[in-house]
Amino acid sequence: MAEVQLRHIDKRWGDFVGVKDFDLTIPDKEFLVLLGPSGCGKSTTMRMIAGLEDATSGDILIGGKVVNDLEPKDRDVAMVFQSYALYPNMTVYENIRFPLKVRHIDPATHDEKVMRAAEMVELTDFLHRRPADLSGGQRQRVALARAIVREPNVFLMDEPLSNLDAKLRVSTRAQIKNLSHELQITTIYVTHDQIEAMTLADRVVVMSAGNVQQVGTPTEIYNYPANTFVASFIGSPAMNLVKGTISNGVFTAENMTIRGLDTALSGDITLGFRAEDAEVNPVGSAPDVTEISGIKANVFSIELLGEATMITLKIGDALVAVKAGKDYSTEIGHVFSTNIPASICHLFDASTGLRLNNGSQSE
């Protein structure tokens, strides 16, 4: 059993708070992703679990045992770093084998364990090479194999893909996803890349400035962001957020009118919607904004994505993205209109940023 419990963990350096009241239980075999921008406290949280940082207050439990006072080597966790941390003078085989030697595992079992770990990450043809002779993706797979060979209770992965190019990130991400399914070991993964979080995680913890903003499955966080920070951080592109006013169920902003919203709300508000949810009107069809529930504005920019065309509009100070079909054709400066049903809108408090509606307006 490798359940991990973080009980009201704080980390402070003098007056600076790195992590504030982090309280979460990570069930056995769960793949949990800590997601947020640089400096949000996600790596600090992981380092406290690993024993590389001491918690200022709170308890860390692994498998039901408090580990605050245990050395990193005694916590039965394996960590994969962003920098690979391989020994340049050792072959791939010896790099993978090294944790077994350090932990005094029976040498008679080493070869079988190394070969099994190498096979899992498709490195059996590279065992004789040294790290300098490998690509970035291969080096990261050596680091993964070195963690696997230990057979730990918990995997800790700190931005393991950030040094790889885009193509290698995709393939190595698939490798990690497959390994997670095969090994069934509790995994805590740190990243600033929301695509990694969405594709890998059973649950995601979104963090900002040391605080947990939301915990949920990727689907929950994408469909029902708890606040404007989460809404603006999750999704590619991020959710559109437009400040305006609402009265009698009608939201208004520059070149934008949305009808059919909650009639109980009034005053300043932030309205959100996703680029793929808006309904694009045909080219040349641009009814007056006062007659529709949507946007009518001039095209600010156009991006051809292959499978779609991304149209950007400027609504007040906000840039708003709308995803049109791949064959949609227009030009910068031309009039563009889109329908935005109330059912796809997310409403947030203008001052606190907190979510006001529980789900789509149609629910």
Side-chain angles (χ1 to χ4, degrees):
M1 183 70 172
E3 179 181 85
V4 177
Q5 295 172 272
L6 305 176
R7 294 181 176 170
H8 302 288
I9 297 298
D10 281 356
K11 179 62 178 179
R12 296 187 298 273
W13 293 272
D15 294 333
F16 179 78
V17 179
V19 176
K20 183 177 180 181
D21 196 27
F22 194 116
D23 191 69
L24 185 70
T25 295
I26 305 160
D28 183 38
K29 300 178 183 177
E30 181 174 67
F31 196 118
L32 183 88
V33 173
L34 304 179
L35 173 68
S38 296
C40 72
K42 57 188 186 297
S43 289
T44 300
T45 301
M46 174 173 283
R47 288 174 64 83
M48 286 190 288
I49 297 169
L52 302 175
E53 296 272 4
D54 293 327
T56 306
S57 61
D59 289 325
I60 300 168
L61 291 83
I62 299 176
K65 180 181 180 181
V66 177
V67 299
N68 291 50
D69 297 328
L70 292 183
E71 293 295 319
K73 65 183 177 61
D74 298 323
R75 298 193 181 196
D76 200 13
V77 300
M79 194 159 183
V80 180
F81 296 92
Q82 174 183 343
S83 60
Y84 318 139
L86 303 179
Y87 297 101
N89 59 320
M90 293 183 184
T91 64
V92 168
Y93 182 97
E94 289 299 329
N95 265 283
I96 298 173
R97 182 188 176 203
F98 188 75
L100 302 177
K101 294 171 67 176
V102 170
R103 295 172 71 83
H104 306 294
I105 304 297
D106 181 3
T109 67
H110 287 195
D111 191 64
E112 179 185 351
K113 290 177 181 290
V114 170
M115 295 306 293
R116 178 174 175 270
E119 188 175 340
M120 282 185 174
V121 296
E122 301 177 6
L123 281 174
T124 51
D125 293 336
F126 302 92
L127 293 174
H128 64 285
R129 295 191 186 183
R130 284 183 164 76
D133 301 322
L134 303 177
S135 69
Q138 289 165 339
R139 290 178 199 173
Q140 193 55 276
R141 281 188 280 149
V142 175
L144 286 170
R146 190 176 55 188
I148 291 166
V149 79
R150 279 194 50 191
E151 300 176 0
N153 274 330
V154 180
F155 279 134
L156 303 176
M157 299 188 183
D158 191 6
E159 307 241 22
L161 307 185
S162 60
N163 283 345
L164 305 181
D165 62 36
K167 185 176 180 180
L168 277 175
R169 278 201 301 272
V170 172
S171 60
T172 310
R173 191 169 69 219
Q175 196 98 42
I176 291 172
K177 183 80 170 181
N178 183 266
L179 281 172
S180 172
H181 175 77
E182 188 171 344
L183 295 170
Q184 294 290 297
I185 293 176
T186 307
T187 302
I188 302 170
Y189 186 106
V190 162
T191 184
H192 64 274
D193 186 324
Q194 53 92 14
I195 294 176
E196 284 179 29
M198 297 291 286
T199 54
L200 289 172
D202 295 322
R203 281 193 304 163
V204 179
V205 178
V206 184
M207 299 182 69
S208 174
N211 292 288
V212 173
Q213 300 293 316
Q214 187 172 1
V215 181
T217 67
T219 300
E220 289 168 348
I221 285 177
Y222 188 84
N223 289 335
Y224 308 113
N227 53 46
T228 51
F229 175 82
V230 177
S232 65
F233 202 79
I234 298 291
S236 183
M239 182 180 288
N240 296 307
L241 297 171
V242 181
K243 292 182 178 180
T245 58
I246 189 170
S247 178
N248 298 319
V250 180
F251 172 86
T252 54
E254 182 182 325
N255 299 322
M256 184 174 180
T257 300
I258 310 294
R259 308 177 190 281
L261 299 170
D262 189 345
T263 56
L265 298 173
S266 64
D268 293 339
I269 202 170
T270 299
L271 182 141
F273 70 95
R274 296 212 177 269
E276 66 271 22
D277 290 337
E279 302 169 359
V280 177
N281 291 319
V283 177
S285 173
D288 189 86
V289 71
T290 61
E291 299 173 1
I292 65 171
S293 182
I295 297 172
K296 178 184 176 184
N298 294 333
V299 174
F300 185 79
S301 74
I302 308 162
E303 298 171 85
L304 304 178
L305 306 178
E307 85 286 358
T309 302
M310 194 69 72
I311 309 295
T312 301
L313 312 168
K314 194 164 188 181
I315 306 299
D317 295 331
L319 292 178
V320 171
V322 175
K323 190 174 283 189
K326 63 181 180 181
D327 297 324
Y328 189 91
S329 179
T330 187
E331 295 181 18
I332 291 175
H334 283 200
V335 175
F336 176 89
S337 74
T338 180
N339 297 326
I340 303 174
S343 60
I344 71 166
C345 294
H346 305 253
L347 307 178
F348 302 95
D349 186 284
S351 56
T352 66
L354 295 176
R355 186 180 188 86
L356 295 172
N357 57 333
N358 293 325
S360 66
Q361 293 294 315
S362 61
E363 291 181 343

